[in-house]
Amino acid sequence: MAFNEVISELAQETGAHLEAMDGICAFAVGDNADDLVKVLLQDLGNGRHLVLWADLGAPPPECKDTLWRTALEANDLLDLTGGATLSVIPGNGHFRLQRIETFEEMELAGRAHLEGFIDTALKWHQIVVKAQMPEKTQEESPEAFMMDSTFISI
């Protein structure tokens, strides 16, 4: 399967007007002009992988350091990122969410991957541009499991 075919199938599955041009498919999502997020699907040129990435915008200057730390913590074990990675785009200071997928994964569950990525991107856009910190789940840490009496050390 080629990149153009992946995009064509996603367009059919979602009913959205998606079009690939020169190895890129770009579109915007959001409820209004203030909340638009640019999403790109880009062919990595190896015949097997594409990257989904979204420009989340620039944080308010007074929140930049806090958001950098929050993004680093969210990247730990891909916590709070839906399996994607957060980074800062060199040169403009915008935050980016990115995830690499195989063409095969997109063929099998492309709509779910795309919708999950978009949902995560929209949430992180709000966190970045409005400095609304994410809520952490109260899951047990790996250290808690190591203290369990059923843990076996070899």
Side-chain angles (χ1 to χ4, degrees):
M1 173 171 274
F3 179 74
N4 290 349
E5 292 172 306
V6 170
I7 301 304
S8 179
E9 283 191 19
L10 279 173
Q12 282 183 313
E13 287 181 45
T14 62
H17 178 72
L18 302 176
E19 191 174 324
M21 185 179 295
D22 297 325
I24 295 175
C25 174
F27 56 94
V29 294
D31 293 330
N32 57 54
D34 293 333
D35 291 328
L36 285 182
V37 175
K38 294 178 223 162
V39 176
L40 285 91
L41 287 81
Q42 185 173 355
D43 187 354
L44 292 180
N46 63 10
R48 296 184 5 216
H49 295 93
L50 62 89
V51 63
L52 294 103
W53 66 272
D55 183 334
L56 305 175
E62 67 276 6
C63 300
K64 184 171 66 172
D65 291 341
T66 301
L67 282 166
W68 282 4
R69 180 179 178 95
T70 300
L72 276 173
E73 290 173 354
N75 280 336
D76 184 43
L77 300 176
L78 305 177
D79 183 35
L80 298 175
T81 61
T85 304
L86 291 160
S87 64
V88 176
I89 300 172
N92 69 7
H94 285 216
F95 277 67
R96 178 186 326 198
L97 183 72
Q98 56 202 356
R99 182 178 177 142
I100 294 176
E101 298 285 358
T102 66
F103 291 172
E104 288 176 310
E105 290 168 337
M106 295 302 287
E107 183 179 10
L108 294 172
R111 181 178 182 154
H113 286 293
L114 182 61
E115 288 175 350
F117 182 82
I118 289 170
D119 184 51
T120 303
L122 289 170
K123 288 176 184 173
W124 272 98
H125 172 71
Q126 293 299 313
I127 291 167
V128 170
V129 299
K130 295 183 180 174
Q132 297 173 346
M133 294 301 130
E135 293 181 25
K136 292 199 175 200
T137 59
Q138 296 300 320
E139 295 178 10
E140 290 190 64
S141 68
E143 293 84 15
F145 293 109
M146 289 182 200
M147 301 306 289
D148 187 347
S149 61
T150 61
F151 180 77
I152 299 171
S153 177
I154 299 176

